Amino acid sequence: MKKSNTSFTDCLVQQLIRSEYIRSSEEAVVRYTLDYIFQSLLYHAILLLIGILTGHFLFSILYILTMGCLKYFTGGAHAPNAHICSLLSYGIFIVTMCMADHLLLISSAVILVILCLNIFITLLLSPVDCKNKRFSMVQRYRLKRRSAITLIVLCIFVRIFFVYNKYYCLTVVLCCLSINSVNLMVGFLINKKESSHVSEHCNL
């Protein structure tokens, strides 16, 4: 686990230990968990702030909700370190936000093709784990089922957006599905490459 650089987290963990809410042996796990929570809250707060400042608040809300659910249940590729992860996350958000305004004129047929393709990729590949966090067979089954439920819910919203001519909302959801599908494919290929290297090493 990476060492925390957040003084607030350190102070909070020490206070929890002094108050005997946690044991000293649990310090590293609690610090890591709190760091993750605070970083996640900060990330979403910054996305909302960017949305407000650029007049894309609705986009920010839809993006956070859609990507959050998809990433949680489907997994995908992970960046090698936190700095690259932040750069990619904010970069993808900003690029998608800029593109969403220019994708409103796509036809219904294209929307259907994109939706079906993303559903197929997600159901085929999810959940995709990484070398730092491997899923057991039970976890894979549960995440696969929850991924399917998430897709069903998103399809219902896509239908509602389409019927009520909320094409901007529809575009945002389709963009998120597409981004997640690409992430799943990248994660799948990385795992495939790592497994082939392991096999070659064992054969040697």
Side-chain angles (χ1 to χ4, degrees), residues 2-203:
K2 62 182 180 180
K3 186 178 180 180
S4 172
N5 293 317
T6 308
S7 58
F8 175 75
T9 304
D10 291 334
C11 292
L12 182 57
V13 170
Q14 294 304 318
Q15 182 61 42
L16 290 173
I17 293 174
R18 286 194 295 269
S19 302
E20 298 183 350
Y21 285 108
I22 63 172
R23 296 187 294 270
S24 298
S25 59
E26 301 171 329
E27 179 180 349
V29 175
V30 174
R31 180 184 288 110
Y32 179 87
T33 303
L34 290 174
D35 266 346
Y36 176 82
I37 292 172
F38 292 146
Q39 289 170 9
S40 180
L41 290 173
L42 178 62
Y43 169 70
H44 290 113
I46 291 175
L47 295 191
L48 288 173
L49 181 60
I50 293 173
I52 292 172
L53 294 177
T54 59
H56 292 83
F57 180 70
L58 177 60
F59 172 87
S60 298
I61 294 293
L62 289 171
Y63 185 91
I64 290 171
L65 292 176
T66 306
M67 288 301 296
C69 292
L70 287 172
K71 283 290 294 178
Y72 187 79
F73 294 125
T74 65
H78 288 263
N81 58 63
H83 296 296
I84 295 177
C85 179
S86 297
L87 183 64
L88 286 173
S89 297
Y90 290 118
I92 291 172
F93 172 80
I94 293 172
V95 170
T96 307
M97 182 177 66
C98 295
M99 289 179 58
D101 294 328
H102 304 286
L103 297 176
L104 298 176
L105 300 178
I106 57 177
S107 65
S108 301
V110 174
I111 290 174
L112 182 61
V113 170
I114 294 175
L115 182 63
C116 291
L117 183 62
N118 284 308
I119 290 174
F120 174 75
I121 292 173
T122 304
L123 289 177
L124 178 67
L125 299 181
S126 67
V128 174
D129 53 13
C130 63
K131 64 180 180 180
N132 295 325
K133 184 179 181 181
R134 295 301 183 188
F135 299 138
S136 66
M137 292 303 296
V138 174
Q139 289 175 318
R140 285 183 176 279
Y141 172 76
R142 289 175 178 172
L143 289 171
K144 175 75 76 174
R145 184 176 59 183
R146 290 168 184 173
S147 297
I149 294 173
T150 301
L151 288 174
I152 291 172
V153 172
L154 287 176
C155 286
I156 292 173
F157 276 103
V158 165
R159 176 63 178 172
I160 293 172
F161 293 150
F162 187 78
V163 169
Y164 290 96
N165 297 321
K166 302 296 182 181
Y167 291 110
Y168 183 75
C169 298
L170 175 61
T171 301
V172 176
V173 173
L174 289 179
C175 285
C176 291
L177 281 167
S178 300
I179 293 168
N180 193 69
S181 294
V182 172
N183 183 257
L184 288 175
M185 289 188 287
V186 172
F188 175 78
L189 292 174
I190 291 174
N191 286 340
K192 203 75 172 175
K193 184 178 179 180
E194 289 177 349
S195 62
S196 64
H197 285 168
V198 171
S199 298
E200 291 175 1
H201 180 72
C202 292
N203 292 331

